[in-house]
Amino acid sequence: MSDTTNIGSFFIEDAPEIQKVIGTEDVPLISSDFTSDITVPVLREVEPADEVEMKKAWKSIRSFFRNGNSKKSIKNSTPLLSLPYQSDAFTASDYPIWISDVVGDESCCRSLQELLTEAVSEATGGVESSILKNNIARIVKTVDESLAKSGEVTTFYSCILAALDDLAKRLSIPGDDGKKFDKHLKRLRKVIPTHGILVPYNSNAGFQIFGAMLQQETGRRSQQLSDKILKLKCKLQGQLAIDHEKEEQDPKELESTLSFASELLDFEKVSKVLPDAGAVQMSASRKKRLEDTIAKLEIADKLLKNKAFVFIGDDQKTPESPDWKLLLGDVNIKSFKKGAGYTTIKKAFEQEIEQWTLVIVGIQIAELELAGRYMEDVHDEYFESLTWRDFSEDEITSCPPFVLIASEEYIADSEMGEFSKILSKGIPIRSLVLKNDIEDAYKSNGVETESNFSYHQELGAFVISHRNAFVCQSTAIKPLVLYNELKNGLTVASPGAFFLLSSIRKKPVDSYMWVSAAVSGREYPGFTFSGNMNSHWGSRFNIDNNFQAENVWPIEEVIAQKGKEDETITAHFTYADFATFLPKYTSFFQDVEQCYWNENLLELAQYLKLDKEEAVGKVPFIWMADEKLHLKKVAVAWPLVLKCRERQDFWRFLQESSGVNNYHVKNAIAKAEESLGVIAAEKMEALKAEHQVELQAAVDEAAGQAMDNLSAVLLDMDAGTFVPGSGSSAPGKAIEKPAASEESDTPEVPTEADSPAISMAAEAYIDTALCTSCNECTNLNGSLFNYNDDKMAFIADINAGTFEELVEAAELCPVGIIHPGDPVNNNEPGLDALIERAKKFN
Amino acid sequence: MFGLKPDAALELPENYYVLDDYEKGIARWCDGCGDHAVLASVQKLCREEQLDPVKTVFVSGIGCSSRFPHYMNTYGFHGLHGRAFPVACGIKHRRPDLDVFVITGDGDCCSIGAGAWIHAIRYNVNLTVMLFNNEIYGLTKKQQSPTSRIGTVSNTTPRGSILPPLDPMQVTLGVANASFVAQTADWNPAHMHATIKAAHAHKGFSFVHILQRCPIFQPELVNELTSNRDNICYLKDDNGITVSEDIEKTFKHSAPHDPSDINGARQLAASEEKIYLGLFYQGKNKENYDDYGAHNLGVTVEEKTAMLNAEFDKYGI
Ligand SMILES: Cc1ncc(C[n+]2csc(CCOP(=O)(O)OP(=O)(O)O)c2C)c(N)n1
Ligand code: SF4
Ligand SMILES: [Mg+2]
């Protein structure tokens, strides 16, 4: 007895030493080569602290909650829902993107992945699995890596060709597979576009998209417009030329053109009898108008040289700001000083539009003239007083756009009054308003004071309040969506404002993560608002471009490991989760040790739903995971809770405006349900009563029939032929007709004898999916039979073997899946016997 | 999160492997032997999972089926008769980074190797095990095996065998800590492939009992098994082995079965009515002995010696 206790205590005492040898949880001894990558978060099993300790700890937790004075850092922890993306290998999913640099492409902005998938399926003829198809991700990755190396935009074609060569070299696939692969590669090179650029994700991606969109759209439009003007001009000139022809022919002119006949003709006389002479000529005023119009149209030649006018705030000259000249290409760029933005751009717009008014007038007159519908008494006056305000949407958008680019602060600080004027006057000037994380990324080290805590500019909402502008708030996270949003903004005649959030963190992965978190945590929700005066208010909003737009906060289930079991954790991504990315908020987070977890610790999303009384004594937390993937509950301090409330409120404003959980809709539904409930209850009663009557009738009828049937049987009649409802009108007949039952057994499909004889030859085939790869058929004739990529047999070339071989293979095949069909070559000897043998397998 | 897809983070391996990368030599099994079908299926699995050939090991005992590692262009161990399991467990124990497969025959596993078999099941080491059951010793040219049916005429039982056959499914399901037990047939390649794939995905001792054709020494049996569709029943369950609708149609009978129900599984195995194909039993989160074998892998021999010496020094006089 004492021996055993001794041994026991020996082990306990020496346990730390022993554990050094065998390894423990705290000293992970597994060398990194051997660890399998674990990605499942772990929920540890921890005993709760005793009552006294619990009380003590909670006193300090509550004090933290009130003051937000945490000293502990959460630097090495990640919000649970962003855990899966904490890898440097993570690549932004829709990037790199291909952007066309040739005006007129149908889709100008596509993800490389999508572009390749389509091209590969074309190159491989749409087969289900091919080596090329299985390696699209690899091609994308190679391109990604080469883009990451240069960090720059690259020409698509050279980059993709290099990636394909790299793939071919790296895989160096042997044998038949290799040949097929080479063939597919060759075709792929022919199918992919040879123009365009590749854009990786980085802090300038959004601007790149804006620039590409602007070039595409303005290029396309100016092309259309100049085509149109050219046509009109030609036609007008044609009219003038005809008129000129109608003038009396000058004998001198005749003489010069017909000089070879000078000895034969009297030009004086001929000129009098030529057919045109004497036709009605156009009035002088019309002629002048046509000439004026042509002159007006000619102004466009000069104007079209400027595809767009871009005014950039002089704060956009910092090292962090993009090189706009490079991004926007061939447009007219000017810079403006703080506070002078809208006045400058408005003046420039007015000057330019005055010129354009002449051109548009020219087009309108030309069109009326050519249609023969110009009426001087009406139109002269009309065109006299025409301004750009009378333009149609198409006409306005065919003029070069005016774009003002500035940071959010620049506008909020000193431009609000002018901005508002532009918006309310409906002047079609677009603003690209930029916001980035410069403060969070570099400058912030202090603690945010409570006074500036809930200050959010929300310029988007400011523009919405003007009702008739186009607004979009977005990011470059989803490049294709962004492209289309921006394009839509440019195709309406109203003023527009594009708000773009970007991040200038050094690593693109970090930037992407930060922006995604800002959108997910409702810090910067995406939305568009199309302020078309003739539309319903609600229909102007769109918030689809958000993570789980239907929820207040995004919500996801995460499977964690607790001991040997799985545990499902439901976690939200709130503004506080986003705030963990901002150093200035560090003191508002405090990890609560697991032994102090109790029912007073409430997930923040739940906490925010409580009313004042319910919230007393509770402390909100968010789920995070540390480097070892251990789950943590991190308490959030009161000042940050207030900020979350504010963000939730703004998001609810967008949601309700777009009809999600809308107050009025909810009320209306409740009311409708109530009144429908009353009606439904009444209806139900009525139906029940009705049903009762019908039921009784049915019971009566059935009873009657049963009686009839019974009597029929008693009378030795065939009850099977008894037609319900026909009474007992056919006694005796059934006895004579025993065939009745046989008839009903016959299915209503045409029997073999019925179907017309088809003379088409049955083709040979193999049930490939059932092939057991036994080599029987391929050994017999390797050209006739072949294995596919999955080493399963199919008929590769029916003409590479005889019918006899087909039949023999069918007989050899251990699983009987070869069907020889009919012979293709009717001259083969001994066919009759072979066809007989083949029958079994067809 | 917004715009993020977790799979975008997947790291791509350096290489891409095609079937050729897993093929080696010409398989010397008889024409029409079921082993060819299993080989093709396993090679396909390797390609689908893009298993790195230098991180994959096939371990076998002795028999026709046990020649399998020779035809795989991966690492292999063609071992001693009946001793595939101890070798495989050893490999997995110290090299948890390797993907270890075990190929064994009915003679190899259920006769001479039965002892090792039982304990490997209980250890639940993370292996993918395929038992090729042709109900005969093939390599040695037709002797009865423990799984041969009563009346099997062979070189060792010229007047027909007399003992009732041992059922590998019942045995496996009867051993404590069994975690994945499935049955399939080599002549239904789609079902077999789905089964092997599920076995490979399972963490623990994944046991696949493959009914295997030996047309040379068991021609009547093969004929009976492959032609009588009444005998075979497909176990259908979302958590079991699922095949496409077309393949499902190749079965005449199907029956529901929840693979977490071990008693139901044992009943199916004992049933004489039909041969059931599918996942009989799967238990997740069962103890794996190899989890305890590799935790000090990073310690060098010198460190180990030093620590042990420190221990021993305590008892020095
Ligand atoms: C220790 C030992 N005993 C006996 C043998 C002889 N022997 C070789 S293979 C074999 C049986 C193989 O049967 P099975 O495992 O069913 O493989 P199959 O050939 O049927 O695939 C035997 C008994 C041996 N090689 N080593
Ligand atoms: S003897 Fe049987 S098991 Fe062995 S290779 Fe031939 S058919 Fe296959
Ligand atoms: Mg055998």
Side-chain angles (χ1 to χ4, degrees):
Chain A
M1 173 78 198
S2 67
D3 272 3
T4 44
T5 45
N6 268 348
I7 291 170
S9 67
F10 156 74
F11 271 112
I12 290 163
E13 271 166 31
D14 289 294
E17 295 299 314
I18 290 167
Q19 285 192 336
K20 255 191 238 158
V21 184
I22 61 169
T24 66
E25 194 197 0
D26 294 332
V27 191
L29 291 177
I30 303 178
S31 79
S32 57
D33 285 2
F34 293 112
T35 43
S36 55
D37 39 348
I38 315 149
T39 47
V40 185
V42 180
L43 192 58
R44 279 173 301 171
E45 286 162 295
V46 174
E47 282 292 310
D50 65 38
E51 218 174 299
V52 182
E53 223 187 303
M54 189 73 111
K55 255 198 174 146
K56 216 173 100 198
W58 267 84
K59 214 172 148 195
S60 100
I61 294 172
R62 290 221 166 80
S63 147
F64 152 78
F65 173 60
R66 284 189 299 271
N67 306 313
N69 52 1
S70 168
K71 300 274 178 299
K72 287 192 246 167
S73 159
I74 48 155
K75 218 168 134 201
N76 296 325
S77 301
T78 316
L80 183 54
L81 295 193
S82 47
L83 192 63
Y85 316 106
Q86 295 301 306
S87 153
D88 276 358
F90 174 77
T91 49
S93 35
D94 285 338
Y95 285 88
I97 45 174
W98 171 86
I99 293 183
S100 165
D101 53 3
V102 171
V103 173
D105 263 321
E106 204 164 291
S107 43
C108 314
C109 177
R110 312 179 67 187
S111 82
L112 177 62
Q113 171 89 32
E114 179 202 293
L115 186 148
L116 278 179
T117 309
E118 216 168 83
V120 164
S121 116
E122 200 183 324
T124 56
V127 289
E128 252 180 42
S129 101
S130 71
I131 296 173
L132 194 53
K133 194 170 164 192
N134 295 342
N135 279 288
I136 292 177
R138 208 176 287 269
I139 305 174
V140 175
K141 198 183 170 208
T142 314
V143 171
D144 232 11
E145 280 166 358
S146 82
L147 286 178
K149 233 179 263 160
S150 70
E152 304 255 321
V153 172
T154 318
T155 42
F156 168 74
Y157 198 56
S158 58
C159 188
I160 199 79
L161 286 188
L164 293 182
D165 288 347
D166 180 81
L167 182 74
K169 215 185 317 151
R170 186 129 53 111
L171 300 189
S172 58
I173 291 158
D176 284 349
D177 281 338
K179 270 184 221 144
K180 206 192 271 170
F181 178 64
D182 284 343
K183 203 171 83 192
H184 286 166
L185 263 185
K186 213 176 195 174
R187 262 193 254 151
L188 179 63
R189 290 195 189 95
K190 281 193 196 137
V191 210
I192 49 174
T194 50
H195 63 288
I197 51 169
L198 277 172
V199 179
Y201 183 81
N202 60 30
S203 49
N204 282 342
F207 310 133
Q208 191 82 50
I209 292 170
F210 178 77
M213 183 280 300
L214 197 65
Q215 290 191 42
Q216 274 291 337
E217 285 305 299
T218 53
R220 194 172 53 78
R221 282 182 219 174
S222 66
Q223 192 59 52
Q224 277 172 1
L225 194 64
S226 77
D227 286 355
K228 183 174 178 180
I229 288 177
L230 191 68
K231 255 186 222 146
L232 290 175
K233 226 163 67 181
C234 285
K235 282 189 187 157
L236 290 183
Q237 272 160 348
Q239 295 241 331
L240 285 174
I242 292 170
D243 195 60
H244 182 71
E245 298 285 307
K246 286 180 188 162
E247 281 172 18
E248 221 166 87
Q249 302 293 330
D250 181 355
K252 290 254 162 55
E253 229 169 79
L254 277 178
E255 193 176 342
S256 70
T257 44
L258 300 175
S259 59
F260 59 89
S262 58
E263 275 160 34
L264 303 168
L265 296 170
D266 173 353
F267 295 114
E268 197 71 38
K269 276 188 183 148
V270 171
S271 72
K272 294 245 160 59
V273 297
L274 275 176
D276 273 341
V280 186
Q281 269 185 272
M282 65 169 73
S283 69
S285 66
R286 177 161 188 237
K287 193 171 166 193
K288 177 159 188 311
R289 189 165 55 245
L290 291 191
E291 279 161 0
D292 282 357
T293 305
I294 289 174
K296 282 195 179 102
L297 292 179
E298 267 160 4
I299 305 177
D301 293 346
K302 191 182 86 223
L303 294 184
L304 277 168
K305 291 215 171 77
N306 284 317
K307 295 213 176 72
F309 293 87
V310 181
F311 289 73
I312 302 178
D314 59 8
D315 62 333
Q316 294 294 309
K317 274 192 202 137
T318 58
E320 288 87 12
S321 20
D323 183 345
W324 288 105
K325 282 229 155 57
L326 207 71
L327 290 175
L328 300 176
D330 179 26
V331 301
N332 191 322
I333 299 182
K334 292 196 178 84
S335 137
F336 67 85
K337 286 211 173 57
K338 188 165 186 181
Y342 285 112
T343 44
T344 319
I345 197 171
K346 204 172 108 199
K347 217 160 123 201
F349 169 78
E350 276 160 359
Q351 273 170 14
E352 185 75 10
I353 204 73
E354 209 173 292
Q355 300 278 307
W356 274 100
T357 310
L358 296 176
V359 177
I360 301 290
V361 165
I363 293 174
Q364 289 190 6
I365 295 180
E367 278 170 345
L368 284 171
E369 274 294 353
L370 292 172
R373 282 172 39 215
Y374 193 95
M375 293 175 279
E376 290 183 352
D377 49 341
V378 183
H379 291 124
D380 279 357
E381 204 180 331
Y382 170 77
F383 285 114
E384 197 68 20
S385 59
L386 190 102
T387 72
W388 67 267
R389 296 241 168 231
D390 305 309
F391 290 1
S392 71
E393 185 153 77
D394 275 351
E395 282 161 347
I396 288 191
T397 53
S398 64
C399 301
F402 276 71
V403 183
L404 180 137
I405 301 180
S407 69
E408 191 181 58
E409 301 92 71
Y410 228 54
I411 290 177
D413 286 358
S414 50
E415 297 270 5
M416 294 300 268
E418 288 301 316
F419 190 17
S420 179
K421 268 188 218 157
I422 300 256
L423 293 169
S424 41
K425 284 186 182 164
I427 301 175
I429 286 173
R430 275 82 181 187
S431 312
L432 179 63
V433 185
L434 312 176
K435 188 182 167 103
N436 64 29
D437 59 342
I438 183 147
E439 201 188 324
D440 306 310
Y442 297 118
K443 294 183 184 157
S444 165
N445 41 13
V447 172
E448 189 149 329
T449 59
E450 216 175 317
S451 60
N452 63 13
F453 221 125
S454 49
Y455 177 58
H456 233 271
Q457 283 156 339
E458 254 14 307
L459 288 188
F462 170 77
V463 184
I464 290 176
S465 73
H466 290 75
R467 296 193 313 277
N468 298 320
F470 177 91
V471 191
C472 115
Q473 175 160 305
S474 195
T475 67
I477 295 285
K478 291 191 179 173
L480 317 180
V481 176
L482 176 64
Y483 188 96
N484 285 324
E485 283 172 349
L486 294 172
K487 190 174 134 188
N488 290 344
L490 217 61
T491 44
V492 291
S494 48
F498 313 120
F499 297 89
L500 200 56
L501 177 73
S502 64
S503 158
I504 51 173
R505 270 147 215 260
K506 283 209 186 72
K507 278 202 294 189
V509 183
D510 294 343
S511 288
Y512 198 84
M513 189 69 202
W514 189 90
V515 175
S516 168
V519 180
S520 306
R522 318 298 192 210
E523 152 73 1
Y524 200 81
F527 65 87
T528 59
F529 173 86
S530 329
N532 180 342
M533 210 173 306
N534 303 318
S535 65
H536 282 291
W537 180 251
S539 73
R540 301 178 189 191
F541 286 87
N542 186 333
I543 55 166
D544 291 347
N545 194 17
N546 277 289
F547 187 41
Q548 296 186 10
E550 67 285 6
N551 293 333
V552 176
W553 305 108
I555 175 169
E556 272 188 298
E557 282 186 349
V558 177
I559 304 221
Q561 213 168 29
K562 188 175 182 184
K564 277 249 153 193
E565 299 295 313
D566 289 347
E567 176 137 332
T568 310
I569 288 173
T570 312
H572 294 77
F573 197 91
T574 63
Y575 175 78
D577 292 78
F578 163 68
T580 62
F581 290 84
L582 313 180
K584 63 185 173 192
Y585 289 146
T586 313
S587 71
F588 296 117
F589 293 103
Q590 182 168 302
D591 176 15
V592 179
E593 270 181 60
Q594 197 168 346
C595 58
Y596 304 129
W597 292 4
N598 67 14
E599 71 287 348
N600 283 331
L601 207 52
L602 214 63
E603 211 206 341
L604 177 61
Q606 306 296 337
Y607 181 91
L608 289 170
K609 283 188 203 156
L610 302 182
D611 59 33
K612 249 191 187 152
E613 281 93 66
E614 289 170 321
V616 172
K618 306 273 188 254
V619 171
F621 78 88
I622 56 170
W623 283 108
M624 293 185 88
D626 64 14
E627 290 154 310
K628 285 187 197 157
L629 299 185
H630 288 161
L631 282 176
K632 291 165 135 191
K633 289 185 178 181
V634 174
V636 179
W638 177 244
L640 192 52
V641 172
L642 286 180
K643 174 84 183 182
C644 291
R645 285 237 160 96
E646 188 278 326
R647 286 291 79 198
Q648 177 176 312
D649 188 58
F650 179 62
W651 171 242
R652 291 283 305 121
F653 153 68
L654 290 177
Q655 274 193 317
E656 286 210 34
S657 306
S658 329
V660 178
N661 272 331
N662 181 288
Y663 170 80
H664 299 293
V665 174
K666 268 198 203 157
N667 275 352
I669 290 175
K671 243 188 217 159
E673 268 173 1
E674 200 181 316
S675 59
L676 276 178
V678 175
I679 297 171
E682 282 168 4
K683 259 211 175 129
M684 187 71 91
E685 278 311 309
L687 278 176
K688 261 192 205 155
E690 212 175 292
H691 179 68
Q692 202 56 42
V693 176
E694 270 175 22
L695 196 68
Q696 197 49 52
V699 169
D700 292 347
E701 199 179 325
Q705 262 172 30
M707 281 307 291
D708 283 348
N709 277 353
L710 190 61
S711 47
V713 172
L714 290 177
L715 286 169
D716 200 18
M717 293 191 326
D718 186 356
T721 61
F722 190 83
V723 185
S726 66
S728 48
S729 62
K733 243 186 168 180
I735 305 170
E736 290 168 16
K737 212 184 160 201
S741 63
E742 205 179 281
E743 214 169 65
S744 62
D745 275 349
T746 323
E748 269 185 55
V749 288
T751 56
E752 265 171 59
D754 289 346
S755 59
I758 301 167
S759 58
M760 227 160 56
E763 247 179 68
Y765 72 100
I766 297 182
D767 292 317
T768 302
L770 295 175
C771 167
T772 62
S773 323
C774 72
N775 305 336
E776 290 278 11
C777 61
T778 50
N779 282 348
L780 187 78
N781 182 338
S783 317
L784 175 58
F785 305 101
N786 203 346
Y787 284 135
N788 66 8
D789 284 350
D790 286 339
K791 209 177 169 184
M792 288 167 139
F794 68 103
I795 294 182
D797 182 1
I798 188 79
N799 298 315
T802 59
F803 189 63
E804 185 175 3
E805 281 173 319
L806 265 174
V807 176
E808 208 175 310
E811 285 166 349
L812 276 174
C813 173
V815 277
I817 54 166
I818 300 178
H819 310 285
D822 294 335
V824 240
N825 172 11
N826 286 324
N827 301 326
E828 204 177 308
L831 267 191
D832 287 345
L834 287 173
I835 291 173
E836 199 50 39
R837 270 161 68 190
K839 253 189 194 157
K840 219 165 110 193
F841 304 100
N842 280 331
Chain B
M1 276 166 71
F2 181 66
L4 296 174
K5 293 183 210 126
D7 59 355
L10 283 185
E11 282 197 57
L12 285 169
E14 264 299 297
N15 299 305
Y16 178 82
Y17 303 105
V18 293
L19 272 190
D20 262 15
D21 292 318
Y22 300 103
E23 288 171 5
K24 198 172 78 187
I26 294 164
R28 276 165 210 237
W29 294 305
C30 309
D31 285 344
C33 174
D35 294 1
H36 291 291
V38 190
L39 180 66
S41 176
V42 169
Q43 285 167 340
K44 241 168 26 186
L45 173 82
C46 289
R47 184 190 59 188
E48 272 162 30
E49 305 290 330
Q50 285 292 302
L51 302 185
D52 185 348
V54 301
K55 291 240 167 191
T56 309
V57 192
F58 282 81
V59 181
S60 67
I62 297 292
C64 292
S65 41
S66 289
R67 291 194 54 79
F68 200 96
H70 291 272
Y71 310 132
M72 291 298 302
N73 198 11
T74 61
Y75 279 99
F77 195 105
H78 187 184
L80 276 172
H81 198 25
R83 298 298 177 265
F85 292 117
V87 173
C89 288
I91 296 173
K92 191 68 192 172
H93 229 62
R94 295 306 284 176
R95 288 297 302 272
D97 56 320
L98 301 182
D99 220 321
V100 186
F101 291 80
V102 176
I103 308 291
T104 181
D106 47 320
D108 195 53
C109 175
C110 312
S111 184
I112 190 171
W117 173 33
I118 302 291
H119 293 286
I121 300 168
R122 181 166 158 265
Y123 277 29
N124 194 23
V125 171
N126 193 6
L127 306 169
T128 307
V129 180
M130 282 165 262
L131 166 56
F132 292 53
N133 187 2
N134 52 5
E135 306 190 10
I136 201 80
Y137 293 178
L139 188 75
T140 46
K141 304 208 179 326
K142 201 176 187 184
Q143 294 81 21
Q144 68 154 341
S145 101
T147 60
S148 304
R149 297 168 193 217
I150 294 181
T152 302
V153 175
S154 75
N155 292 328
T156 40
T157 52
R159 277 180 248 150
S161 60
I162 47 172
L163 294 177
L166 171 155
D167 173 19
M169 293 300 279
Q170 286 193 63
V171 174
T172 310
L173 285 165
V175 177
N177 211 26
S179 73
F180 184 103
V181 190
Q183 181 157 274
T184 186
D186 77 51
W187 58 92
N188 193 324
H191 186 270
M192 176 167 66
H193 191 69
T195 311
I196 298 176
K197 196 165 176 158
H200 180 252
H202 173 81
K203 182 179 185 243
F205 188 91
S206 324
F207 183 76
V208 183
H209 182 218
I210 302 173
L211 310 181
Q212 180 231 320
R213 290 162 299 153
C214 172
I216 305 300
F217 298 126
Q218 290 279 44
E220 286 105 57
L221 177 64
V222 168
N223 194 30
E224 150 73 13
L225 282 174
T226 53
S227 57
N228 186 353
R229 296 203 310 144
D230 266 323
N231 255 345
I232 306 253
C233 178
Y234 163 61
L235 292 181
K236 195 174 169 182
D237 189 274
D238 285 346
N239 294 321
I241 308 297
T242 48
V243 292
S244 70
E245 253 173 55
D246 286 346
I247 299 299
E248 222 174 88
K249 279 190 207 131
T250 63
F251 294 104
K252 203 163 162 194
H253 306 281
S254 80
H257 169 64
D258 172 8
S260 66
D261 170 15
I262 195 159
N263 288 324
R266 287 174 180 150
Q267 267 168 18
L268 288 178
S271 156
E272 306 220 321
E273 232 169 79
K274 287 216 160 40
I275 300 168
Y276 296 94
L277 297 190
L279 182 54
F280 279 49
Y281 175 68
Q282 181 171 25
K284 288 182 180 147
N285 297 324
K286 293 206 162 189
E287 228 28 279
N288 303 105
Y289 198 59
D290 46 331
D291 278 355
Y292 298 85
H295 48 198
N296 60 349
L297 280 173
V299 187
T300 63
V301 177
E302 289 75 25
E303 281 170 331
K304 278 184 207 163
T305 323
M307 282 188 272
L308 276 174
N309 280 336
E311 269 313 290
F312 292 144
D313 283 348
K314 289 183 184 164
Y315 311 101
I317 310 162

